[in-house]
């Protein structure tokens, strides 16, 4: 591909001619950030394209959010016409020095309809931005912080919504354990969190959150000496302001955290254009807005330049607006008291030029004109100038969806981002843990059942032994009593027999007629024989 850059590129992006000569945004001062403002239809997109083209020609990568879907035209070369020639004449630029051409462009799209998929791991996004997406209360965000901390401590990666839902379900089931380790969490907060996740899991969530996650380093490419222009297709995403602003906040945070300090550079490492920038600050918690202000203020030292695009400077918080040193203001309309107030504020944002009535000029700017105030090499604001903005070198006609997708299919990064990945993360690990817990519960149930059966068997055996011992004891007692009675009867019979025998013997031996003497002898002999016979049966 032919390199279309001119041999003598000025050290800045040429915007047009002012009363004192060319007006440019110096590359060395581009990291002092900027603002492109103006009413609808006044040329903000053209201004954005002109700057992006100049940065790309200087080898500076560019990231642009394409809200209307028309910046894809930057990929194709424009055609010279009378209006472009007129602009060139006004700005004293020859056609020979203004070669029209397309620029290297890479397309990304959350919906995957007009670009490579762009995905973000929920772990990378973090609890603060997830809380913003889910519009959580402070208490609910506290619970989410604990869930993320618990996952991190257990090496459980939360990449997508199924991971997050599983992790919150685990926290619910282990609430007591979690509360002991990280602080009390209420069942009500967890239940509310689960309901909000269920309501929020839509097409954007399924497409945006997951792997492979977008890597910031893929923004820093060049092709044929020109900086790669990365377009984030947002015409559909813009209809979901929370998603749009959250993605941009994440990108800025990642750039801030990953890029090393660079100090003062001859040109920035990357330029970022954020259209409809007011969405970054709408319904944004104070702590998060302070974080944005900090990033914009400090990221310049890392070689990052940011240009916000919005209808009015009043759309931007004052502490952020103070960081935007390069101002390009297209025409404003002021029909209501509120609009007139914004008009005055916009005029006051420029360094005064005694030859220009800034307030009057803002409502009188012609098509293609803008009020411009950039900073000089020392970082000081240059007095405002009325400038006819240069035309873009690229086409005004947006690419068709077929043309975009053809470029996407041929993009080398399709191999990297084209297919979803679903590795083992929190969801799978927690599923396995639950199966293991259920298995252990079942084993314990079986052990308890076996123990119960064994106990019952032992109790039955013990009862049987006691019954048998009792019966045996009763039988032994009956037998002993019978034996004693028998022995007693036998002894009594023996004694009786002994006495009868003694009587017979006594009668035979004693012939005396004295009954008294005979009875005495019989008694003595009977007693003796009775004892003798009875002794045989003791």
């Amino acid at each position: 591909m032919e390199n279309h850059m001119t041999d003598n590129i000025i050290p800045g992006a040429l915007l047009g001619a002012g009363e004192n000569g060319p007006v440019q945004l110096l590359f060395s001062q581009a990291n002092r950030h900027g603002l492109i403002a103006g009413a609808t239809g006044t040329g903000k997109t053209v201004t954005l394209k002109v700057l992006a083209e100049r940065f790309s020609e200087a080898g500076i990568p560019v990231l642009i959010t394409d809200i209307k879907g028309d910046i894809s035209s930057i990929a194709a070369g424009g055609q010279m016409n009378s209006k472009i020639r007129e602009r060139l004449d006004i700005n004293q630029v020859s056609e020979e020095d203004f070669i029209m051409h397309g620029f290297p462009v890479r397309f990304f799209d959350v919906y995957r309809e007009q670009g490579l998929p762009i995905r973000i791991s929920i772990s990378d996004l973090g609890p603060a931005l997830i809380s913003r997406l889910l519009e959580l209360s402070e208490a609910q965000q506290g619970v989410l912080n604990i869930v993320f901390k618990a996952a991190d401590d257990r090496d459980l990666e939360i990449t997508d919504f199924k991971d997050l839902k599983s992790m919150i379900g685990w926290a619910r089931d282990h609430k007591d354990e979690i509360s002991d380790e990280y602080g009390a969490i209420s069942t009500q907060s967890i239940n509310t969190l689960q309901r909000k996740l269920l309501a929020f899991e839509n097409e954007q969530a399924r497409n945006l959150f997951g792997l492979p996650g977008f890597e910031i380093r893929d923004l820093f490419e060049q092709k044929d000496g020109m900086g790669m222009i990365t377009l984030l297709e947002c015409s559909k995403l813009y209809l979901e302001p929370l998603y749009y602003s959250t993605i941009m906040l994440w990108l800025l945070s990642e750039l801030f955290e990953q890029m090393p300090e660079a100090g003062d550079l001859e040109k920035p490492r990357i330029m970022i254009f954020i259209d409809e920038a007011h969405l970054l600050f709408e319904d944004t918690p104070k702590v998060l807005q302070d974080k944005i202000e900090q990033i914009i203020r400090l990221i310049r030292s890392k070689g990052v330049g940011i240009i916000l695009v919005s209808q009015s400077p009043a759309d931007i918080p004052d502490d952020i607006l103070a960081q935007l040193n390069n101002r390009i203001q297209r025409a404003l309309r002021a029909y209501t008291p509120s609009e007139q107030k914004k008009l005055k504020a916009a005029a006051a944002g420029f360094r005064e030029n005694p030859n220009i009535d800034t307030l009057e000029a803002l409502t009188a700017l012609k098509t293609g004109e803008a009020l411009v105030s950039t900073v000089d090499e020392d970082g000081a604001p240059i007095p405002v100038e009325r400038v006819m903005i240069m035309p873009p070198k690229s086409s005004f006609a947006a690419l068709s969806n077929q043309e975009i997708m053809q470029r996407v299919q041929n993009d080398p990064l399709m191999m990297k981002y084209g297919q979803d990945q679903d590795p083992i993360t929190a969801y799978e690990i927690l599923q396995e843990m639950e199966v293991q817990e259920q298995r252990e519960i079942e084993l314990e149930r079986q052990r308890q059942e076996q123990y119960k059966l064994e106990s019952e068997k032992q109790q039955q055996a013990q009862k049987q032994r006691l019954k048998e011992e009792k019966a045996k004891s009763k039988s032994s007692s009956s037998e002993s009593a019978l034996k004693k009675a028998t022995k007693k009867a036998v002894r009594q019979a023996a004694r009786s027999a002994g006495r009868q025998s003694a009587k017979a013997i006594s009668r035979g031996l004693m012939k005396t007629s004295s009954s008294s003497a005979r009875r005495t002898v019989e008694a003595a002999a009977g007693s003796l024989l009775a004892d003798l016979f009875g002794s045989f049966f003791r």
Side-chain angles (χ1 to χ4, degrees):
M1 177 179 174
E2 181 184 356
N3 189 332
H4 295 291
M5 290 188 295
T6 58
D7 294 332
N8 299 308
I9 294 180
I10 57 176
L14 178 63
L15 291 166
E19 61 180 357
N20 296 316
V23 175
Q24 58 185 341
L25 195 162
L26 296 177
F27 294 141
S28 62
Q29 301 300 318
N31 64 344
R32 290 183 177 271
H33 311 315
L35 172 69
I36 300 174
T40 301
T42 58
K44 296 190 297 296
T45 299
V46 171
T47 307
L48 183 159
K49 285 181 62 178
V50 169
L51 284 175
E53 289 175 359
R54 302 301 178 269
F55 288 129
S56 177
E57 285 181 329
I60 302 168
V62 178
L63 170 64
I64 304 173
T65 62
D66 190 1
I67 294 294
K68 294 181 290 185
D70 56 356
I71 302 179
S72 63
S73 59
I74 203 170
Q79 297 293 323
M80 182 62 68
N81 58 43
S82 59
K83 289 186 177 180
I84 291 176
R85 289 191 183 91
E86 181 182 351
R87 293 277 187 95
L88 294 178
D89 290 342
I90 293 173
N91 288 298
Q92 301 176 5
V93 175
S94 68
E95 286 190 40
E96 290 75 15
D97 291 333
F98 191 80
I99 301 175
M100 305 190 77
H101 62 90
F103 293 79
V105 177
R106 172 166 286 149
F107 300 88
F108 280 93
D109 181 7
V110 168
Y111 293 90
R112 312 180 186 190
E113 296 173 355
Q114 297 189 58
L116 292 164
I118 181 168
R119 306 178 190 85
I120 304 172
S121 166
I122 287 182
S123 291
D124 290 340
L125 196 63
L129 290 178
I130 289 292
S131 295
R132 183 173 187 264
L133 272 177
L134 298 178
E135 299 180 280
L136 300 182
S137 68
E138 185 175 346
Q140 292 157 3
Q141 182 175 349
V143 172
L144 191 64
N145 288 336
I146 289 175
V147 169
F148 270 75
K149 175 62 176 171
D152 188 55
D153 289 346
R154 289 161 177 79
D155 294 326
L156 297 173
E157 186 177 4
I158 304 175
T159 62
D160 53 26
F161 261 79
K162 74 176 188 299
D163 288 329
L164 184 56
K165 287 194 297 184
S166 296
M167 196 66 208
I168 292 172
W170 177 86
R172 177 201 59 212
D173 297 338
H174 298 77
K175 183 169 69 70
D176 294 339
E177 175 189 340
I178 292 288
S179 296
D180 290 341
E181 189 172 355
Y182 302 102
I185 59 176
S186 70
T187 302
Q188 181 180 359
S189 292
I190 293 179
N191 291 340
T192 301
L193 202 54
Q194 288 180 311
R195 287 195 300 272
K196 289 198 173 186
L197 274 178
L198 184 63
F200 205 75
E201 190 177 10
N202 50 25
E203 182 181 4
Q204 296 95 314
R206 289 191 297 272
N207 288 333
L208 177 60
F209 299 117
L211 295 175
F214 180 74
E215 294 187 5
I216 294 297
R217 65 182 180 182
D218 290 327
L219 296 174
F220 296 85
E221 290 192 18
Q222 291 184 337
K223 185 176 181 180
D224 300 322
M226 292 188 286
M228 178 67 72
I229 298 175
T230 299
L231 287 186
L232 179 58
E233 163 58 36
C234 296
S235 57
K236 190 172 178 181
L237 183 65
Y238 171 66
L239 301 177
E240 298 287 347
L242 274 176
Y243 269 105
Y244 172 69
S245 59
T246 298
I247 290 173
M248 295 316 301
L249 291 176
W250 174 78
L251 282 169
L252 292 177
S253 296
E254 288 295 295
L255 284 166
F256 179 70
E257 292 171 5
Q258 294 186 25
M259 295 188 66
E261 291 290 327
D264 293 328
L265 300 174
E266 290 184 0
K267 60 183 181 181
R269 290 171 167 171
I270 188 171
M271 290 299 300
I272 300 174
F273 293 82
I274 303 177
D275 202 357
E276 300 295 343
H278 63 279
L279 294 178
L280 295 181
F281 315 105
E282 285 186 358
D283 302 320
T284 302
K286 181 64 165 59
V287 63
L288 197 54
Q289 189 163 307
D290 290 343
K291 179 68 174 178
I292 300 171
E293 189 275 331
Q294 181 189 41
I295 290 174
I296 292 178
R297 175 165 45 86
L298 299 178
I299 204 170
R300 60 178 298 270
S301 64
K302 300 189 175 190
V304 179
I306 299 171
I307 295 180
L308 303 183
V309 183
S310 193
Q311 291 196 12
S312 170
D315 297 335
I316 312 299
D318 289 342
D319 52 355
I320 305 293
L321 194 61
Q323 308 297 324
L324 311 180
N325 294 283
N326 297 293
R327 305 283 182 91
I328 303 172
Q329 179 68 61
R330 291 286 195 162
L332 283 176
R333 310 287 181 253
Y335 302 111
T336 68
S338 175
E339 291 174 337
Q340 291 172 359
K341 183 178 180 180
K342 291 180 180 180
L343 181 67
K344 292 178 180 178
F350 290 100
R351 181 178 175 182
E352 185 178 353
N353 184 334
N355 298 324
I356 297 176
D357 185 334
T358 306
L359 185 60
E360 180 181 345
L362 280 175
T363 58
L365 291 172
K366 300 176 182 178
T367 300
E369 284 189 318
L371 292 182
V372 179
S373 177
T374 57
V375 294
D376 62 21
E377 294 178 351
D378 297 323
I382 296 174
V384 63
E385 296 240 32
R386 189 167 179 169
V387 177
M388 178 63 73
I389 299 296
M390 288 283 291
K393 294 182 178 180
S394 59
S395 173
F396 284 93
L399 299 184
S400 68
N401 186 66
Q402 182 177 357
E403 290 173 318
I404 291 175
M405 291 311 296
Q406 184 176 357
R407 290 171 180 262
V408 169
Q409 293 299 324
N410 294 330
D411 195 309
L413 288 185
M414 176 57 79
M415 293 291 293
K416 180 176 183 178
Y417 294 118
Q419 296 295 323
D420 291 317
Q421 296 176 5
D422 190 17
I424 296 176
T425 51
Y427 173 77
E428 289 78 14
I429 294 173
L430 291 175
Q431 287 285 97
E432 179 59 31
M433 288 172 59
E434 183 177 353
V435 170
Q436 183 63 28
E437 287 178 3
Q438 292 300 320
R439 188 179 297 122
E440 292 176 358
I441 290 172
E442 178 61 21
L443 289 174
E444 180 62 24
R445 187 194 66 77
Q446 293 177 2
R447 285 193 293 267
Q448 292 293 336
E449 186 68 23
Q450 185 65 28
Y451 176 77
K452 182 180 178 182
L453 291 173
E454 293 293 335
S455 297
E456 289 177 352
K457 287 181 180 179
Q458 292 177 6
Q459 290 174 5
Q460 290 294 332
Q462 180 69 11
K463 288 180 180 180
Q464 185 63 29
R465 284 195 299 271
L466 292 174
K467 184 177 180 180
E468 291 175 354
E469 289 175 358
K470 185 176 180 181
K472 184 178 180 182
S473 175
K474 185 177 180 180
S475 176
S476 298
S477 298
S478 299
E479 182 182 350
S480 177
L482 178 60
K483 187 176 181 182
K484 287 180 180 179
T486 302
K487 286 183 177 180
K488 183 177 179 180
V490 171
R491 280 198 303 270
Q492 289 175 347
R495 287 178 66 85
S496 177
R499 284 194 293 271
Q500 293 298 324
S501 295
K503 287 180 180 181
I505 293 172
S506 297
R507 291 190 186 112
L509 291 178
M510 294 185 65
K511 301 297 187 179
T512 178
S513 57
S514 175
S515 59
S516 175
R518 189 171 60 250
R519 284 194 297 272
T520 301
V521 173
E522 287 176 359
S527 178
L528 179 63
L529 287 178
D531 289 339
L532 177 62
F533 281 22
S535 66
F536 296 151
F537 298 97
R538 289 178 181 172

